[in-house]
Amino acid sequence: MSPVSETRQRPRVHFTAQHGWTNDPHGILRVDGRFHMFFQYNPAGVTWNEACHWGQAVSDDLIRWTEVDVALAPAPDEIGCWSGSAVVDSEGPVLAYTRVAHDDWGRGAVALARPTEPMASWVRRPLESVLDGPPEGYDIIAFRDPQLRPRGDGWVAVIG
């Protein structure tokens, strides 16, 4: 059998939401033996909308996925919950996301959300943003999409 034939016969890992628009993947966490995948999501339509949510799906094997309730929706003081990353820190699972709270869509803030139930009902905690925007003194027109990586006893963030 040729390598091409073998490749075509392998199962493909692919997830599609039941409805709505999906975009950026935010990460996959393994918590209590299950995989949890997070992604940018517009449950209200099939095109992008500034009121982005975070969708969530779960899997036991990384092949078969079940979509569950929206993980993160904009709070009353947010336009949208844009891209970021899903990680586990010393307190447990946390979503680090771009909080868009005003009309300057390029200049987001970084907020954290944690589950109130095991891996469900995510809420912003702390209520304040952990980074209100880019550092002063730089000509930055966009600040969003935090990607977190562990380093030593702490974390490093790359923000676009």
Side-chain angles (χ1 to χ4, degrees), residues 47-94:
T47 58
W48 180 84
N49 185 300
E50 69 272 6
C52 287
H53 293 56
W54 279 43
Q56 183 177 355
V58 297
S59 174
D60 293 321
D61 59 10
L62 291 175
I63 296 173
R64 292 175 294 272
W65 291 94
T66 301
E67 190 174 354
V68 296
D69 290 339
V70 167
L72 188 60
D77 61 342
E78 294 175 328
I79 294 169
C81 300
W82 290 9
S83 295
S85 53
V87 298
V88 177
D89 69 7
S90 60
E91 296 178 43
V94 61

Side-chain angles (χ1 to χ4, degrees), residues 12-156:
R12 303 279 184 199
V13 176
H14 183 78
F15 168 79
T16 302
Q18 293 293 319
H19 67 279
W21 174 86
T22 62
N23 196 29
D24 302 345
H26 301 318
I28 296 177
L29 301 179
R30 187 167 188 203
V31 177
D32 296 329
R34 296 194 86 192
F35 296 96
H36 300 262
M37 176 177 52
F38 301 92
F39 52 93
Q40 193 175 58
Y41 185 47
N42 175 10
V46 294
T47 58
W48 180 84
N49 185 300
E50 69 272 6
C52 287
H53 293 56
W54 279 43
Q56 183 177 355
V58 297
S59 174
D60 293 321
D61 59 10
L62 291 175
I63 296 173
R64 292 175 294 272
W65 291 94
T66 301
E67 190 174 354
V68 296
D69 290 339
V70 167
L72 188 60
D77 61 342
E78 294 175 328
I79 294 169
C81 300
W82 290 9
S83 295
S85 53
V87 298
V88 177
D89 69 7
S90 60
E91 296 178 43
V94 61
L95 306 179
Y97 70 97
T98 302
R99 175 178 180 265
V100 181
H102 44 75
D103 291 334
D104 183 0
W105 293 355
R107 189 183 179 280
V110 177
L112 305 179
R114 296 188 182 272
T116 59
E117 303 170 26
M119 297 305 289
S121 300
W122 297 78
V123 296
R124 194 167 74 217
R125 196 175 334 144
L127 290 177
E128 305 81 29
S129 301
V130 293
L131 287 174
D132 288 326
E136 296 294 326
Y138 292 92
D139 188 21
I140 295 174
I141 60 170
F143 185 79
R144 60 177 182 254
D145 308 339
Q147 295 299 309
L148 303 180
R149 299 292 179 261
R151 179 176 289 168
D153 292 338
W155 293 86
V156 173

